[in-house]
């Protein structure tokens, strides 16, 4: 079967065109990062829930710190989602499903 290189317009017969992994390495990296963030946020929410039962000042300070940490994870999550979307778009271009 002959492959067609969309960027150069050349046929890839005998040239050993690179196969495109689905999902791509960039997508996998982003998905792993998102999964790690999700797991950490679950831990934080559980910790906040446990601390909410206490009325001590220390617990309130810890809850505040954990909420700040969750806000930072939210920003990081949005960055990784953007990277994942960009990687998916690049894959679709490489596969010829959308125009660059």
């Amino acid at each position: 079967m002959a492959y067609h290189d969309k960027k150069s317009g050349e046929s890839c017969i005998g040239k050993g065109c690179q196969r495109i992994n689905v999902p791509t390495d960039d997508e996998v990296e982003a998905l792993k990062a998102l999964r790690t963030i999700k797991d950490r946020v679950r831990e934080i929410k559980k910790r906040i829930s446990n601390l909410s039962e206490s009325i001590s000042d220390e617990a309130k300070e810890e809850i505040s710190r954990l909420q700040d940490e969750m806000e930072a994870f939210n920003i990081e999550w949005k960055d990784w989602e953007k990277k994942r979307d960009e990687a998916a778009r690049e894959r679709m271009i490489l596969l010829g499903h959308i125009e660059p």
Side-chain angles (χ1 to χ4, degrees), residues 6 85 88-100:
K6 294 280 185 182
D85 291 344
R89 177 170 165 49
E90 182 64 26
R91 174 182 38 85
M92 295 299 280
I93 290 169
L94 290 172
L95 292 171
H97 294 300
I98 60 175
E99 292 295 319

Side-chain angles (χ1 to χ4, degrees), residues 60-84:
K60 290 177 183 177
E61 289 175 19
E62 178 73 4
I63 289 171
S64 178
R65 187 189 65 74
L66 291 170
Q67 288 172 335
D68 291 344
E69 191 175 341
M70 281 185 33
E71 286 179 31
F73 277 128
N74 187 33
I75 293 167
E76 188 177 352
W77 177 273
K78 289 176 183 177
D79 291 341
W80 279 110
E81 273 189 327
K82 184 177 178 182
K83 290 176 186 178
R84 183 199 60 203

Side-chain angles (χ1 to χ4, degrees), residues 20-41:
I20 300 170
N21 294 328
V22 178
T24 64
D25 293 341
D26 290 340
E27 286 175 292
V28 170
E29 177 186 13
L31 291 169
K32 284 181 182 179
L34 289 169
R35 191 174 302 116
T36 300
I37 292 169
K38 183 185 251 184
D39 291 342
R40 182 64 181 125
V41 167

Side-chain angles (χ1 to χ4, degrees), residues 45-69:
K45 285 183 177 182
K46 185 176 181 179
R47 178 78 175 131
I48 288 173
S49 177
N50 292 337
L51 288 169
S52 294
E53 297 170 2
S54 175
I55 56 171
S56 72
D57 289 338
E58 292 173 2
K60 290 177 183 177
E61 289 175 19
E62 178 73 4
I63 289 171
S64 178
R65 187 189 65 74
L66 291 170
Q67 288 172 335
D68 291 344
E69 191 175 341

